[in-house]
Amino acid sequence: MGSGRRSREVVGRAERLRGAAAGVVAAWGAAVGAVVEAHGRIFWGLVRGELEGIPVERLKEVTEGRLQTGVLAGAGYRTVAQVCGASAQELVRIPGIGGSTAQQLVGAARQIAEAVEQSTAVRIDPARPDGDSTELLIALHRLVVAGPGARRAADEARELEAVLAAPLGAAGPACGWVRGLVAGAGRREEARRAVELLEEKVGAAEADGAPLRFAQAGADLLRPGAGEVEVWVEFEHRAAEFYAELALLVEEGRVGGVERGASEGHLPDALAELVRAERLDDAGCTVSLRGYQAFGARFALARKRVMIGDEMGLGKTVQALAVLAHLAAAGERHFLVVCPASVLVNWQRETASRTRLGAYRYHGPEREDARGKWLAEGGVLVATYESLRTLPEDPVAALVVDEAHFVKNPAALRTRLVAEWAGRTERVLFLTGTPMENRVEEFRTLIGHLQPELLAELPTGLGVAGSVAFRRAVAPAYLRRNQQDVLTELPDVVRVDEWDELSGPDRAAYAAAVAEGNFMAMRRAAYAEPAHSAKLRRLRELVAEAAESGHKVVVFSYFREVLGTVGEALGDVVAGTISGAMAAEARQELVDEFTAVDGHAVLLCQIQAGGLGLNLQAANVVVLCEPQLKPTLEDQAVARAQRMGQIRRVRVHRLLATDSLDRGLVERLRGKAELFDSYARRSDLAESAPEAVDVSDRALAVRIVEDEQLRLAAAE
């Protein structure tokens, strides 16, 4: 083959590849543009509505009272929206407003508008399927169906277009002797080098399968749009995927949404910049990562030994899997996940459905066979805390410890075993939504497993140090985001404390338990006489209300005896009971059956079991039979329903008795919740007193029993 013919063949291949790349970029741009346009109609309508509800007098607050707004009101400007829609030139025509004042008014209005924009989120309500929401779902559905592969293909195509553009422009003189003769020797040499570069780049892209990826992405992005009924049905079942695509566009700045600091856990600027610069290869993931999830994975990669303490429902599992997939793409083969038995099945499922990694369970009689396959084939070995006692010290590239607050006690065997594994593993990732429950010192223990050098910067009296100093010190090892900051699409949680008086039989059972000093019996006394139980009566009413609306209900209690009583009272609507004694596989099967029920159903859960590692978003009514000793235990349980993908408002009903320990317990636990907020969440609360830091469950129980004994004695 002559050099000219060969050059033409190479250039032809390059042009065809660039054409395919350009097609994918155009198709992706059109698909994203449709989402941006549909989202904009809803978003800016919400912003305008909010600004129209803000009186013009609020502009004084922005300028600390320096602006007089009475003249504006007299001229017909009643709301901030009206001022935002005006220019300084228009305002200066109003008698009494000069040029400087007009500029200040426009600036103040714009400042309020920006704050509204940052706090406004588009929520799609299946109960109100209006035309704008339908158009947005149709546009998003195209991206959901195309999947993360289309986004990656578009990024790859964009880069390839840029790489091929210059050499294609320079290769012309090498494609024919006439053009080469006219071009001159210098340009002929430049053209020859351009053809060589094109042959190298095109050959590499073809060998890597780029043409096939472009063809697949183009077909997915250009398929006919879904119908109205289809997209609403799809949204009901795949809401998390729809919102994930929308959230990515928010992170990219294509559509309005929350400010970046919230999604980055408000880390110090220098640290956040370091994390953003960390490369993340998510090609091994089969789902799209939200921006805050990608940031969490980058945080773990950049810092190597960290704890992600995101609130329940934000996808800590997928962030950890993204880290493992990245390491696998870099050539690492063996990873270990340690978790409670209750979430072991969930880790297997998530690994298989969200990554291309193999998942093996080191648990039960076949655990050694599973370990052998893992050693031979690579992937993720999922082990329980207990099984670490028999797991050989095989080298792993990364250790993930789920529900890491289980290793907060330095004296416990499982803590020592995890510490040994962490000590010999370069990369360690702790996951927990509850890093501290009663004692801030327990948080120090977890940080000590990861980056012990940070402990020197943390004074022993953390209550005195205060939350701001604490979070600043642990930032290199700890990242936390809250639902309200990053999952702005979630419907609200409505919490209702259902106060009632104990019935006569309830009071008798309660008084007997108080006299015995039996704290647990005091907590169960409201259900001792089912036929006369005030709490049980209210529970039946709540379930009946949910049944009328076709809602699913999950009922939590600390006590199996209480759940047994509730089950007998509710009858056939109960799908089953999850207890701590139930095997992890059986728990997941029961949740699957509950989710599959068409319409109303009730699931009973022992809160220690049902509040951990299960996805209960099929339910949007939660009933707590009694207040818990740890506020985080209640939060975990509620978060199993209020999590990514939930599209209905979650109603939480806590059953309480006025003339019992419930009142004092609720008041005391409010202080514990505030302590957690101060240290584990981002918060500007005042510094906590040292004596509030250490309140054990046992001490709390003793104090409440004594208080109730005194109260009842005084009432006699």
Side-chain angles (χ1 to χ4, degrees), residues 181-492:
L181 184 63
V182 173
R187 289 194 59 195
R188 284 197 300 273
E189 177 59 24
E190 181 184 355
R192 183 189 64 77
R193 291 196 300 270
V195 169
E196 290 179 353
L197 179 60
L198 287 173
E199 187 170 32
E200 176 191 344
K201 297 298 182 182
V202 172
E206 290 173 343
D208 192 41
L212 180 60
R213 289 193 293 276
F214 294 165
Q216 182 64 60
D220 289 338
L221 291 167
L222 295 173
R223 69 176 63 196
E228 294 183 16
V229 174
E230 181 185 352
V231 294
W232 280 104
V233 171
E234 284 285 288
F235 179 67
E236 288 268 2
H237 292 90
R238 305 171 68 182
E241 295 174 60
F242 279 79
Y243 277 123
E245 292 295 339
L246 188 57
L248 286 171
L249 298 181
V250 171
E251 291 289 335
E252 293 169 1
R254 295 175 183 263
V255 298
V258 297
E259 48 94 14
R260 186 168 64 180
S263 67
E264 297 179 351
H266 296 275
L267 292 180
D269 292 342
L271 180 57
E273 189 64 34
L274 178 69
V275 172
R276 289 184 215 118
E278 183 73 24
R279 188 184 71 87
L280 174 64
D281 185 346
D282 65 349
C285 296
T286 57
V287 295
S288 296
L289 296 177
R290 291 194 172 204
Y292 75 86
Q293 292 172 334
F295 185 85
R298 288 189 173 94
F299 178 73
L301 291 168
R303 298 297 303 160
K304 294 188 177 181
R305 303 172 66 88
V306 299
M307 174 162 56
I308 294 180
D310 288 347
E311 216 170 20
M312 295 289 176
L314 295 186
K316 293 186 289 294
T317 300
V318 76
Q319 294 177 63
L321 289 173
V323 171
L324 303 187
H326 171 95
L327 295 175
E332 301 290 356
R333 299 191 63 230
H334 297 98
F335 313 103
L336 175 63
V337 171
V338 182
C339 62
S342 60
V343 296
L344 193 121
V345 173
N346 184 63
W347 269 99
Q348 276 191 292
R349 286 188 171 197
E350 294 288 286
T351 303
S353 65
R354 297 177 181 273
T355 74
R356 296 186 176 87
L357 298 172
Y360 308 90
R361 184 172 62 174
Y362 187 75
H363 186 65
E366 299 179 357
R367 60 186 178 186
E368 288 303 331
D369 290 341
R371 175 175 162 267
K373 292 179 182 177
W374 170 69
L375 288 172
E377 301 176 17
V380 180
L381 185 67
V382 187
T384 65
Y385 286 110
E386 291 72 19
S387 64
L388 284 183
R389 290 179 294 182
T390 59
L391 182 63
E393 298 179 6
D394 301 310
V396 296
L399 168 69
V400 177
V401 181
D402 195 13
E403 305 294 350
H405 51 278
F406 280 17
V407 294
K408 63 191 178 185
N409 180 3
L413 175 60
R414 62 187 173 198
T415 302
R416 297 198 301 271
L417 290 170
V418 167
E420 290 173 5
W421 274 93
R424 58 175 174 263
T425 305
E426 180 182 9
R427 294 183 180 273
V428 182
L429 176 57
F430 280 10
L431 306 176
T432 175
T434 55
M436 183 214 59
E437 289 171 328
N438 294 332
R439 303 177 182 84
V440 180
E441 281 300 315
E442 294 166 353
F443 193 84
R444 280 176 55 94
T445 300
L446 299 181
I447 295 296
H449 293 315
L450 299 167
Q451 298 183 35
E453 65 276 12
L454 293 180
L455 296 181
E457 302 177 22
L458 302 179
T460 303
L462 291 179
V464 177
S467 60
V468 175
F470 178 83
R471 287 186 57 81
R472 187 183 301 117
V474 301
Y478 176 63
L479 175 68
R480 180 177 178 87
R481 281 74 57 89
N482 301 325
Q483 280 191 358
Q484 65 184 22
D485 289 334
V486 294
L487 287 191
T488 53
E489 78 276 6
L490 280 181
D492 297 331

Side-chain angles (χ1 to χ4, degrees), residues 20-43:
V24 172
V25 172
W28 176 259
V32 169
V35 174
V36 172
E37 182 179 353
H39 177 275
R41 285 195 294 271
I42 301 173
F43 179 81

Side-chain angles (χ1 to χ4, degrees), residues 83 86-93 97-99 101-104 106:
V83 180
S87 66
Q89 289 77 11
E90 290 174 298
L91 296 181
V92 81
R93 298 193 189 109
I97 295 181
T101 301
Q103 292 286 356
Q104 288 180 315
V106 170

Side-chain angles (χ1 to χ4, degrees), residues 490-615:
L490 280 181
D492 297 331
V493 174
V494 178
R495 298 176 182 266
V496 181
D497 281 351
E498 305 279 356
W499 289 99
D500 207 340
E501 293 184 356
L502 293 173
S503 67
D506 288 342
R507 281 196 297 271
Y510 183 72
V514 172
E516 294 173 2
N518 189 332
F519 181 67
M520 290 305 187
M522 290 164 60
R523 296 181 67 199
R524 297 194 304 268
Y527 300 92
E529 297 288 340
H532 306 283
S533 170
K535 284 190 177 184
L536 198 55
R537 183 195 68 244
R538 182 56 182 148
L539 176 56
R540 286 198 196 95
E541 293 171 354
L542 293 171
V543 171
E545 291 172 9
E548 290 177 2
S549 303
H551 295 157
K552 288 186 171 68
V553 183
V554 57
V555 179
F556 287 106
S557 176
Y558 186 86
F559 305 100
R560 274 187 285 181
E561 298 95 321
V562 170
L563 292 177
T565 300
V566 171
E568 292 177 7
L570 296 180
D572 294 340
V573 297
V574 176
T577 302
I578 292 176
S579 71
M582 181 180 287
E585 295 90 339
R587 295 182 197 184
Q588 188 61 56
E589 289 173 4
L590 184 52
V591 171
D592 292 343
E593 293 171 7
F594 172 69
T595 302
V597 172
D598 186 15
H600 174 66
V602 179
L603 183 66
L604 308 181
C605 295
Q606 198 171 6
I607 197 165
Q608 311 92 303
L612 186 65
L614 296 176
N615 185 338

